[in-house]
Amino acid sequence: QKMVDPTLAEMGKNLNEAMKMLEDNQRKAEEENEKKYARKDIPGPLQGSGQDMVSILQLVQNLMHGEEEEETSQSYRLQNVGEQGHMALLGHSLAAYISVLDRERLRKLTTRILSDTTLWLCRLFRYENGSAYYHEDDREGLLKICRLVIHTHYEDYTLEGFNVLYTKQPVIYISSAARTGLGQTLCSQLGLPLSCMCRVPCNTMFGSQHQMDVALLDRVVKDDVESGKLPLLLVANAGTPGAGHTDKLGRLKELCEQYQMWLHVEGVNLATLALGYVSSSVLAATKCDSMTLTLGSWLGLPAVPAVTLYRHEDPSLSLAAGLTSSQPVEKLRALPLWLSLQYLGHDGIVERIKHASQLSQRLLENLKNLDFIKTSVEDELSSPVVVFKFFQEYANRDQTLHAAQTSTIQHPIISNERHIYDTFNQWLGEQLAQLVPASGVDVVELEDEGTCVRFSPLMTSAVLGTEIQDIDQLVDCLKMKIPVLTSTLQLREEFEQEVRRTVGLLYIEDLGWPGLGVVRYNYHCDGKNDDKQEKELEKINTELLKKLNELESDLTFSLGPEFGGQKNCVYIGMVTEDLDVSELVETIAATGREIEENSRLLENMTEVVRKGIQEAQLQLQKANEERLLEEGLLRQIPVVGSVLNWFSPFQASPKGRTFNLTAGSLESTESMYVSKVQGTGTTPPPTPTSSLAKQRLPGQKAFRRSLRSSDGFSETSSISHCDDLDKMDQRPPTLSPGQEQGPLEMEKAEEQKEVVQAKTDTDNLHRDKSPPDCTKVEDQASER
């Protein structure tokens, strides 16, 4: 064994310990760097070893209900999910759990669920021998149907792709009343140019104004065939998205069979196929090639897929188009519907759809009895959608309106009236939705009718829980709003005329403002630039708006809408029929003049003060020069001046100046030193004021017409007589200094008092009513 030098052995041992320490320090530094990296770049909730289930659910709850003001409608809907909604939500959890089963058992289970759900839906909605495709986006079913039709008509599409489409361009026909953007979505997803999409207009000369023009469609399809194009598919409506109208599905089906086109139907009215009685117009949808059902909104089921029922004999083409799938997991999309349909049963499904139809009929019956309300319902007996609007007939403009509707160029007066009605109906729909949120009414824009209020309970009642009492409340709110709309519409023209004839006011025509009108006070500029004039105009109108809001009235004054409104204007909202328009305009003009005069007075006062300060500085400088001449040069030397003033004091009268703000001039203060009192000077001019309000009865709001003018006049005269009596009781006769009141003077005072009392009694006798209590009248007068 080789001997090792003890010194070297000790050195090696120390080296090993030192290296071990260095390695340990390096390892600790690397761990610290990893920790720092994790804290810096990894989001907070993912740090550490994870969070418990309670914390995660609490976070979800805070995100759902954290901001109560913004999430009011969504929280309200979550409260009305119901047990059938819980079954649908349970279906999503079960679908995720079932997906972990072995492949064979999963295949058998999904096949059973899919076949059961498809059979139930085909029986419920009278669509025999149909297949079903379940999808999240309600437009996806129509997209898959388009792919199926393309594969059917173009045999080599799978191999050659767009080349076969180029030789014979396909055409898809949709109604002009279809939902917005449907054609663009189909073309973009299918890779087709927009020229492949043809919008078919609705009838304009005869028949329904909202149904697809079948005769025109026939001519268009014939022209496309002659030009070498291929008519591919027609999208019809059983309940248009706007007003719920149904196309002539029977005639459209015959036309599609003639040109070998595919007929696809969608719309809310398809829900009525589950009822015992179905109108013939909707029943014709059972003969179409495919239809899309949105059961989630109809039955109040959250997160359930939409269903597209279709008939096709070749399963390979359905697989190529994506309507069927070999993946068992995709078949589990039907599981939420499978659970929910079993939970509701046939009676529950029919009862929900029937309840929505009854709500529509209840509202429609009440609307028929209301004046100034026009309904736009095609089939009143079966349509579950009610569309109405506020409209006031003008007898002297019926011919003009008819001429404007039949001509291509619309009359400007009729165009303005329609714009005003659109604005008023927009306001009406927003008010009704705010007052009765459970009704689910909304505002819709129709091409022919303009802005209307829509009630579609099949889309909202199951989720919102709408009941009959909500419809009655909606009708009551509508009855309260109609008089306000009619009176505002009638007084708009009078308000415009009053403003235009009033000096200092400018009428601003804003057809998009739901109210009496818009007015601006014109600022009279004196050679000022535009920027300064604009600032003065903004200041005056802002102060005018503040003054008007301080008045005790029922009117609403505002700066107008946040976006799109005129600047430096006063917007007046809805009014009632007892509004005194002349008093309102006079008050606005008088208040504006008062604000302008006060502003001018303050501006003039500022200029006067500035000039007065400059004059005071000049006079003070002149006074200092005079003092130097009077005292002499020797008195200005510090030491010599003190000694000289001690031997020979200099007597000088104090001379001061005071600035009179009223007169705007400098005055001497000698009178103050003489009288020891500061003078008040001249009387200042009175502040410009305006008689803003007329004499009103107690409790009467501003700008309201008095409905008891004669009584008010008689009460005024009685008040004056009672005031005279009260003054005679409290006022002693005037005596000269040192004179006492003798019996003769007392007798004259009593006689004068009796004369005033006799005059009051005579007036009350002519009025044939008892004289009012003087004390009460005096209290009313003092309150005014």
Side-chain angles (χ1 to χ4, degrees):
Q1 200 175 25
K2 191 174 182 178
M3 297 296 296
V4 180
D5 189 354
T7 304
L8 295 177
E10 185 68 20
M11 184 183 299
K13 181 179 178 181
N14 293 336
L15 179 60
N16 290 333
E17 292 179 355
M19 294 297 297
K20 185 178 180 180
M21 293 175 61
L22 291 175
E23 290 176 357
D24 292 341
N25 292 333
Q26 184 178 1
R27 189 180 302 108
K28 291 180 181 180
E30 292 177 356
E31 292 178 356
E32 291 294 332
N33 291 333
E34 290 180 358
K35 292 182 179 180
K36 291 180 180 180
Y37 173 80
R39 291 194 186 98
K40 181 178 180 181
D41 295 349
I42 301 300
L46 300 184
Q47 293 180 6
S49 58
Q51 303 185 31
D52 57 336
M53 181 67 67
V54 177
S55 302
I56 297 175
L57 292 179
Q58 185 66 37
L59 175 61
V60 174
Q61 181 179 354
N62 294 337
L63 294 175
M64 292 172 60
H65 306 288
E67 300 178 0
E68 296 294 338
E69 294 80 9
E70 297 181 0
E71 303 293 337
T72 303
S73 60
Q74 296 185 8
S75 61
Y76 181 80
R77 293 193 175 191
L78 288 175
Q79 294 174 3
N80 291 274
V81 168
E83 294 185 3
Q84 77 282 353
H86 294 164
M87 294 298 296
L89 298 177
L90 178 61
H92 290 277
S93 301
L94 285 178
Y97 179 71
I98 293 174
S99 62
V100 301
L101 297 177
D102 60 276
R103 189 174 185 82
E104 183 62 24
R105 183 170 299 182
L106 178 61
R107 184 186 61 80
K108 292 181 180 180
L109 180 59
T110 54
T111 303
R112 169 67 182 274
I113 293 173
L114 189 63
S115 60
D116 286 350
T117 310
T118 303
L119 177 63
W120 296 341
L121 291 176
C122 289
R123 292 290 176 85
L124 279 172
F125 295 97
R126 307 169 187 263
Y127 197 82
E128 299 296 335
N129 301 324
S131 302
Y133 172 66
Y134 303 89
H135 46 92
E136 302 297 334
D137 189 354
D138 54 359
R139 297 172 298 183
E140 187 180 354
L142 177 57
L143 178 63
K144 300 293 185 181
I145 291 296
C146 291
R147 295 186 185 277
L148 174 63
V149 180
I150 290 177
H151 280 280
T152 303
H153 285 78
Y154 298 92
E155 297 179 357
D156 298 333
Y157 179 74
T158 306
L159 299 177
E160 299 185 10
F162 68 91
N163 290 327
V164 296
L165 303 179
Y166 179 77
T167 58
K168 201 169 188 179
Q169 180 179 351
V171 183
I172 300 175
Y173 304 91
I174 63 174
S175 172
S176 59
R179 46 183 164 173
T180 306
L182 179 61
Q184 289 80 354
T185 302
L186 293 178
C187 288
S188 62
Q189 294 295 324
L190 295 172
L192 299 176
L194 291 178
S195 59
C196 294
M197 190 63 54
C198 178
R199 293 180 62 88
V200 182
C202 297
N203 289 350
T204 55
M205 298 301 295
F206 58 91
S208 174
Q209 300 294 324
H210 305 278
Q211 291 179 337
M212 193 183 304
D213 193 337
V214 182
L216 179 60
L217 175 63
D218 189 8
R219 293 195 299 268
V220 171
V221 174
K222 185 179 296 185
D223 294 340
D224 290 339
V225 172
E226 293 177 355
S227 61
K229 297 180 180 180
L230 177 62
L232 197 67
L233 181 139
L234 172 64
V235 182
N237 291 298
T240 54
H245 298 290
T246 303
D247 292 326
K248 299 180 179 66
L249 300 179
R251 295 186 57 189
L252 292 177
K253 178 58 179 175
E254 296 175 357
L255 186 65
C256 289
E257 290 178 352
Q258 178 182 354
Y259 293 99
Q260 297 181 354
M261 287 193 303
W262 185 284
L263 178 60
H264 178 83
V265 181
E266 59 182 21
V268 68
N269 291 354
L270 293 176
T272 58
L273 290 173
L275 301 179
Y277 170 77
V278 186
S279 64
S280 58
S281 59
V282 180
L283 189 60
T286 58
K287 305 299 182 182
C288 65
D289 298 303
S290 61
M291 64 170 65
T292 298
L293 310 176
T294 55
L295 297 171
S297 57
W298 298 349
L299 304 178
L301 304 176
V304 298
V307 185
T308 296
L309 302 178
Y310 65 96
R311 296 190 185 99
H312 199 268
E313 298 178 355
D314 193 348
S316 61
L317 295 181
S318 300
L319 181 62
L323 288 170
T324 58
S325 176
S326 59
Q327 299 296 327
V329 178
E330 295 188 7
K331 298 180 181 180
L332 289 175
R333 292 179 181 176
L335 183 58
L337 266 178
W338 186 75
L339 295 175
S340 301
L341 293 178
Q342 292 184 82
Y343 180 83
L344 290 173
H346 177 266
D347 294 340
I349 296 171
V350 173
E351 181 62 28
R352 288 181 175 271
I353 299 175
K354 185 178 180 181
H355 175 68
S357 300
Q358 290 175 350
L359 293 177
S360 298
Q361 295 301 317
R362 179 65 172 263
L363 178 60
L364 187 60
E365 292 174 0
N366 287 278
L367 293 178
K368 290 180 179 179
N369 301 325
L370 296 180
D371 297 330
F372 309 111
I373 294 297
K374 178 183 177 182
T375 58
S376 176
V377 181
E378 176 186 330
D379 189 358
E380 297 182 353
L381 298 178
S382 61
S383 178
V385 181
V386 178
V387 177
F388 61 94
K389 63 180 298 185
F390 166 75
F391 185 76
Q392 189 173 4
E393 296 286 350
Y394 288 93
N396 57 345
R397 293 182 182 176
D398 287 343
Q399 297 179 355
T400 307
L401 180 61
H402 178 71
Q405 290 178 347
T406 56
S407 63
T408 56
I409 302 177
Q410 196 171 18
H411 197 275
I413 298 179
I414 303 301
S415 178
N416 291 343
E417 285 186 0
R418 175 167 179 175
H419 199 163
I420 293 175
Y421 277 117
D422 290 346
T423 302
F424 276 39
N425 283 283
Q426 177 79 24
W427 177 85
L428 177 62
E430 294 174 354
Q431 289 292 312
L432 294 178
Q434 182 179 2
L435 295 174
V436 193
S439 64
V441 296
D442 60 348
V443 180
V444 61
E445 296 285 342
L446 300 180
E447 184 177 357
D448 297 327
E449 302 291 338
T451 304
C452 300
V453 183
R454 178 179 59 186
F455 175 65
S456 182
L458 272 173
M459 303 299 293
T460 59
S461 63
V463 177
L464 298 179
T466 311
E467 299 295 340
I468 295 294
Q469 55 268 23
D470 298 324
I471 303 302
D472 297 337
Q473 183 182 358
L474 180 67
V475 175
D476 294 338
C477 294
L478 185 59
K479 290 180 180 179
M480 291 189 300
K481 297 300 179 182
I482 289 177
V484 178
L485 291 169
T486 54
S487 58
T488 305
L489 187 62
Q490 293 173 359
L491 294 176
R492 278 177 69 101
E493 187 174 355
E494 181 182 352
F495 176 75
E496 179 180 356
Q497 294 176 358
E498 288 288 339
V499 172
R500 292 188 184 279
R501 71 167 62 104
T502 303
V503 180
L505 297 183
L506 178 64
Y507 180 80
I508 305 299
E509 186 175 8
D510 190 350
L511 301 179
W513 171 248
L516 184 64
V518 186
V519 64
R520 174 187 296 162
Y521 182 81
N522 273 340
Y523 176 70
H524 302 289
C525 60
D526 298 331
K528 298 181 179 180
N529 53 19
D530 295 339
D531 294 339
K532 189 171 183 180
Q533 181 182 355
E534 188 71 19
K535 292 180 180 179
E536 292 291 340
L537 184 64
E538 180 181 0
K539 180 180 178 181
I540 292 177
N541 283 277
T542 302
E543 186 66 21
L544 174 61
L545 177 63
K546 180 180 178 182
K547 293 287 185 182
L548 292 175
N549 283 322
E550 292 176 355
L551 299 177
E552 296 182 0
S553 66
D554 295 331
L555 303 182
T556 56
F557 303 95
S558 64
L559 292 175
E562 183 178 0
F563 302 101
Q566 297 286 339
K567 294 183 179 180
N568 305 327
C569 296
V570 176
Y571 284 75
I572 306 174
M574 293 289 177
V575 298
T576 55
E577 60 180 356
D578 59 345
L579 174 69
D580 193 341
V581 178
S582 59
E583 180 185 354
L584 172 62
V585 176
E586 178 185 353
T587 302
I588 295 176
T591 307
R593 286 194 297 268
E594 178 182 345
I595 296 173
E596 181 182 1
E597 290 174 2
N598 290 336
S599 176
R600 287 178 178 273
L601 181 62
L602 181 61
E603 184 179 355
N604 295 335
M605 184 69 69
T606 305
E607 184 67 20
V608 168
V609 170
R610 186 182 64 82
K611 292 182 179 179
I613 292 174
Q614 294 177 356
E615 184 179 354
Q617 291 176 348
L618 294 176
Q619 292 191 11
L620 287 175
Q621 183 179 1
K622 184 178 180 181
N624 288 332
E625 294 176 355
E626 293 177 354
R627 185 172 61 85
L628 289 176
L629 293 177
E630 292 180 0
E631 294 180 358
L633 182 61
L634 292 177
R635 294 182 182 272
Q636 308 305 319
I637 301 175
V639 179
V640 178
S642 301
V643 175
L644 186 60
N645 288 332
W646 185 71
F647 282 104
S648 176
F650 179 78
Q651 299 294 333
S653 59
K655 296 181 180 180
R657 296 290 186 271
T658 178
F659 184 72
N660 191 342
L661 290 176
T662 304
S665 59
L666 289 174
E667 300 178 356
S668 176
T669 58
E670 295 181 359
S671 59
M672 298 182 188
Y673 290 103
V674 174
S675 61
K676 306 297 184 180
V677 177
Q678 184 176 0
T680 57
T682 60
T683 304
T687 303
T689 58
S690 60
S691 56
L692 299 181
K694 298 179 180 179
Q695 187 174 4
R696 298 189 296 271
L697 297 175
Q700 182 181 357
K701 295 295 184 68
F703 316 126
R704 291 289 178 261
R705 293 193 181 97
S706 178
L707 301 180
R708 300 175 358 188
S709 57
S710 59
D711 294 344
F713 177 79
S714 59
E715 288 177 7
T716 305
S717 61
S718 299
I719 290 173
S720 62
H721 292 316
C722 293
D723 290 340
D724 293 338
L725 286 176
D726 187 64
K727 292 178 181 178
M728 290 301 300
D729 290 335
Q730 299 178 0
R731 183 182 61 191
T734 304
L735 302 176
S736 59
Q739 182 182 0
E740 297 180 357
Q741 186 176 8
L744 182 60
E745 286 78 9
M746 295 177 62
E747 183 178 357
K748 290 182 178 180
E750 291 294 330
E751 290 178 359
Q752 186 176 2
K753 183 176 181 181
E754 290 176 0
V755 170
V756 175
Q757 180 65 36
K759 182 179 179 182
T760 304
D761 296 339
T762 304
D763 293 340
N764 292 332
L765 182 61
H766 285 299
R767 287 198 310 154
D768 195 16
K769 58 169 68 175
S770 58
D773 188 2
C774 296
T775 305
K776 295 181 179 179
V777 174
E778 180 182 0
D779 295 340
Q780 295 175 359
S782 62
E783 291 177 0
R784 281 197 300 273

PDB file of all heavy atoms in Angstrom, residues 451-467:
ATOM      1  N   THR A 451     -89.743  50.864 -37.645  1.00  0.00           N
ATOM      2  CA  THR A 451     -89.441  50.423 -36.290  1.00  0.00           C
ATOM      3  C   THR A 451     -90.719  49.966 -35.602  1.00  0.00           C
ATOM      4  O   THR A 451     -91.703  50.698 -35.557  1.00  0.00           O
ATOM      5  CB  THR A 451     -88.781  51.551 -35.491  1.00  0.00           C
ATOM      6  OG1 THR A 451     -87.612  51.996 -36.184  1.00  0.00           O
ATOM      7  CG2 THR A 451     -88.384  51.072 -34.100  1.00  0.00           C
ATOM      8  N   CYS A 452     -90.689  48.757 -35.049  1.00  0.00           N
ATOM      9  CA  CYS A 452     -91.856  48.177 -34.373  1.00  0.00           C
ATOM     10  C   CYS A 452     -91.411  47.532 -33.068  1.00  0.00           C
ATOM     11  O   CYS A 452     -90.231  47.308 -32.827  1.00  0.00           O
ATOM     12  CB  CYS A 452     -92.548  47.139 -35.256  1.00  0.00           C
ATOM     13  SG  CYS A 452     -93.173  47.761 -36.833  1.00  0.00           S
ATOM     14  N   VAL A 453     -92.411  47.233 -32.235  1.00  0.00           N
ATOM     15  CA  VAL A 453     -92.191  46.509 -30.984  1.00  0.00           C
ATOM     16  C   VAL A 453     -92.625  45.063 -31.212  1.00  0.00           C
ATOM     17  O   VAL A 453     -93.730  44.814 -31.709  1.00  0.00           O
ATOM     18  CB  VAL A 453     -92.981  47.133 -29.828  1.00  0.00           C
ATOM     19  CG1 VAL A 453     -92.676  46.415 -28.518  1.00  0.00           C
ATOM     20  CG2 VAL A 453     -92.659  48.615 -29.698  1.00  0.00           C
ATOM     21  N   ARG A 454     -91.765  44.120 -30.856  1.00  0.00           N
ATOM     22  CA  ARG A 454     -92.030  42.710 -31.117  1.00  0.00           C
ATOM     23  C   ARG A 454     -92.167  41.944 -29.805  1.00  0.00           C
ATOM     24  O   ARG A 454     -91.403  42.146 -28.859  1.00  0.00           O
ATOM     25  CB  ARG A 454     -90.905  42.108 -31.953  1.00  0.00           C
ATOM     26  CG  ARG A 454     -91.066  40.619 -32.239  1.00  0.00           C
ATOM     27  CD  ARG A 454     -89.930  40.100 -33.089  1.00  0.00           C
ATOM     28  NE  ARG A 454     -88.639  40.307 -32.451  1.00  0.00           N
ATOM     29  CZ  ARG A 454     -87.467  40.043 -33.027  1.00  0.00           C
ATOM     30  NH1 ARG A 454     -87.440  39.597 -34.266  1.00  0.00           N
ATOM     31  NH2 ARG A 454     -86.328  40.264 -32.392  1.00  0.00           N
ATOM     32  N   PHE A 455     -93.160  41.046 -29.787  1.00  0.00           N
ATOM     33  CA  PHE A 455     -93.362  40.130 -28.664  1.00  0.00           C
ATOM     34  C   PHE A 455     -93.344  38.720 -29.214  1.00  0.00           C
ATOM     35  O   PHE A 455     -94.247  38.307 -29.933  1.00  0.00           O
ATOM     36  CB  PHE A 455     -94.691  40.431 -27.957  1.00  0.00           C
ATOM     37  CG  PHE A 455     -95.024  39.449 -26.863  1.00  0.00           C
ATOM     38  CD1 PHE A 455     -94.231  39.358 -25.741  1.00  0.00           C
ATOM     39  CD2 PHE A 455     -96.124  38.622 -26.969  1.00  0.00           C
ATOM     40  CE1 PHE A 455     -94.525  38.444 -24.731  1.00  0.00           C
ATOM     41  CE2 PHE A 455     -96.435  37.711 -25.969  1.00  0.00           C
ATOM     42  CZ  PHE A 455     -95.633  37.624 -24.849  1.00  0.00           C
ATOM     43  N   SER A 456     -92.279  37.974 -28.904  1.00  0.00           N
ATOM     44  CA  SER A 456     -92.107  36.611 -29.408  1.00  0.00           C
ATOM     45  C   SER A 456     -91.930  35.684 -28.214  1.00  0.00           C
ATOM     46  O   SER A 456     -90.804  35.368 -27.803  1.00  0.00           O
ATOM     47  CB  SER A 456     -90.892  36.533 -30.343  1.00  0.00           C
ATOM     48  OG  SER A 456     -90.756  35.233 -30.869  1.00  0.00           O
ATOM     49  N   PRO A 457     -93.033  35.215 -27.611  1.00  0.00           N
ATOM     50  CA  PRO A 457     -92.912  34.428 -26.370  1.00  0.00           C
ATOM     51  C   PRO A 457     -92.243  33.074 -26.567  1.00  0.00           C
ATOM     52  O   PRO A 457     -91.682  32.532 -25.612  1.00  0.00           O
ATOM     53  CB  PRO A 457     -94.374  34.276 -25.927  1.00  0.00           C
ATOM     54  CG  PRO A 457     -95.175  34.446 -27.168  1.00  0.00           C
ATOM     55  CD  PRO A 457     -94.426  35.430 -28.022  1.00  0.00           C
ATOM     56  N   LEU A 458     -92.296  32.504 -27.776  1.00  0.00           N
ATOM     57  CA  LEU A 458     -91.620  31.230 -27.981  1.00  0.00           C
ATOM     58  C   LEU A 458     -90.106  31.340 -27.805  1.00  0.00           C
ATOM     59  O   LEU A 458     -89.436  30.350 -27.490  1.00  0.00           O
ATOM     60  CB  LEU A 458     -91.939  30.696 -29.377  1.00  0.00           C
ATOM     61  CG  LEU A 458     -93.208  29.844 -29.499  1.00  0.00           C
ATOM     62  CD1 LEU A 458     -93.498  29.525 -30.944  1.00  0.00           C
ATOM     63  CD2 LEU A 458     -93.088  28.582 -28.672  1.00  0.00           C
ATOM     64  N   MET A 459     -89.574  32.526 -28.004  1.00  0.00           N
ATOM     65  CA  MET A 459     -88.135  32.737 -27.854  1.00  0.00           C
ATOM     66  C   MET A 459     -87.745  33.219 -26.470  1.00  0.00           C
ATOM     67  O   MET A 459     -86.567  33.164 -26.108  1.00  0.00           O
ATOM     68  CB  MET A 459     -87.646  33.744 -28.902  1.00  0.00           C
ATOM     69  CG  MET A 459     -87.938  33.352 -30.343  1.00  0.00           C
ATOM     70  SD  MET A 459     -87.146  31.806 -30.826  1.00  0.00           S
ATOM     71  CE  MET A 459     -85.434  32.289 -30.760  1.00  0.00           C
ATOM     72  N   THR A 460     -88.717  33.692 -25.667  1.00  0.00           N
ATOM     73  CA  THR A 460     -88.361  34.318 -24.383  1.00  0.00           C
ATOM     74  C   THR A 460     -89.163  33.815 -23.197  1.00  0.00           C
ATOM     75  O   THR A 460     -88.670  33.849 -22.064  1.00  0.00           O
ATOM     76  CB  THR A 460     -88.551  35.838 -24.473  1.00  0.00           C
ATOM     77  OG1 THR A 460     -89.919  36.129 -24.805  1.00  0.00           O
ATOM     78  CG2 THR A 460     -87.650  36.438 -25.533  1.00  0.00           C
ATOM     79  N   SER A 461     -90.409  33.373 -23.385  1.00  0.00           N
ATOM     80  CA  SER A 461     -91.284  33.116 -22.230  1.00  0.00           C
ATOM     81  C   SER A 461     -90.790  31.965 -21.369  1.00  0.00           C
ATOM     82  O   SER A 461     -90.886  32.011 -20.141  1.00  0.00           O
ATOM     83  CB  SER A 461     -92.709  32.834 -22.716  1.00  0.00           C
ATOM     84  OG  SER A 461     -92.745  31.660 -23.516  1.00  0.00           O
ATOM     85  N   ALA A 462     -90.251  30.904 -21.996  1.00  0.00           N
ATOM     86  CA  ALA A 462     -89.778  29.770 -21.208  1.00  0.00           C
ATOM     87  C   ALA A 462     -88.583  30.136 -20.344  1.00  0.00           C
ATOM     88  O   ALA A 462     -88.422  29.626 -19.234  1.00  0.00           O
ATOM     89  CB  ALA A 462     -89.420  28.609 -22.137  1.00  0.00           C
ATOM     90  N   VAL A 463     -87.760  31.037 -20.835  1.00  0.00           N
ATOM     91  CA  VAL A 463     -86.573  31.443 -20.073  1.00  0.00           C
ATOM     92  C   VAL A 463     -86.926  32.496 -19.031  1.00  0.00           C
ATOM     93  O   VAL A 463     -86.473  32.446 -17.884  1.00  0.00           O
ATOM     94  CB  VAL A 463     -85.484  31.958 -21.033  1.00  0.00           C
ATOM     95  CG1 VAL A 463     -84.283  32.461 -20.255  1.00  0.00           C
ATOM     96  CG2 VAL A 463     -85.067  30.853 -21.984  1.00  0.00           C
ATOM     97  N   LEU A 464     -87.763  33.480 -19.416  1.00  0.00           N
ATOM     98  CA  LEU A 464     -88.119  34.570 -18.506  1.00  0.00           C
ATOM     99  C   LEU A 464     -89.270  34.217 -17.575  1.00  0.00           C
ATOM    100  O   LEU A 464     -89.533  34.956 -16.636  1.00  0.00           O
ATOM    101  CB  LEU A 464     -88.486  35.817 -19.314  1.00  0.00           C
ATOM    102  CG  LEU A 464     -87.391  36.404 -20.197  1.00  0.00           C
ATOM    103  CD1 LEU A 464     -87.903  37.602 -20.960  1.00  0.00           C
ATOM    104  CD2 LEU A 464     -86.176  36.780 -19.370  1.00  0.00           C
ATOM    105  N   GLY A 465     -89.970  33.144 -17.848  1.00  0.00           N
ATOM    106  CA  GLY A 465     -91.109  32.791 -17.007  1.00  0.00           C
ATOM    107  C   GLY A 465     -92.287  33.729 -17.173  1.00  0.00           C
ATOM    108  O   GLY A 465     -92.922  34.114 -16.186  1.00  0.00           O
ATOM    109  N   THR A 466     -92.611  34.110 -18.393  1.00  0.00           N
ATOM    110  CA  THR A 466     -93.690  35.062 -18.664  1.00  0.00           C
ATOM    111  C   THR A 466     -95.043  34.416 -18.369  1.00  0.00           C
ATOM    112  O   THR A 466     -95.311  33.285 -18.790  1.00  0.00           O
ATOM    113  CB  THR A 466     -93.641  35.525 -20.119  1.00  0.00           C
ATOM    114  OG1 THR A 466     -92.299  35.933 -20.430  1.00  0.00           O
ATOM    115  CG2 THR A 466     -94.592  36.690 -20.350  1.00  0.00           C
ATOM    116  N   GLU A 467     -95.915  35.168 -17.671  1.00  0.00           N
ATOM    117  CA  GLU A 467     -97.248  34.699 -17.333  1.00  0.00           C
ATOM    118  C   GLU A 467     -98.293  35.672 -17.874  1.00  0.00           C
ATOM    119  O   GLU A 467     -97.960  36.729 -18.419  1.00  0.00           O
ATOM    120  CB  GLU A 467     -97.400  34.546 -15.815  1.00  0.00           C
ATOM    121  CG  GLU A 467     -96.448  33.532 -15.188  1.00  0.00           C
ATOM    122  CD  GLU A 467     -96.716  32.100 -15.650  1.00  0.00           C
ATOM    123  OE1 GLU A 467     -97.838  31.833 -16.130  1.00  0.00           O
ATOM    124  OE2 GLU A 467     -95.795  31.260 -15.532  1.00  0.00           O
TER     125      GLU A 467
END
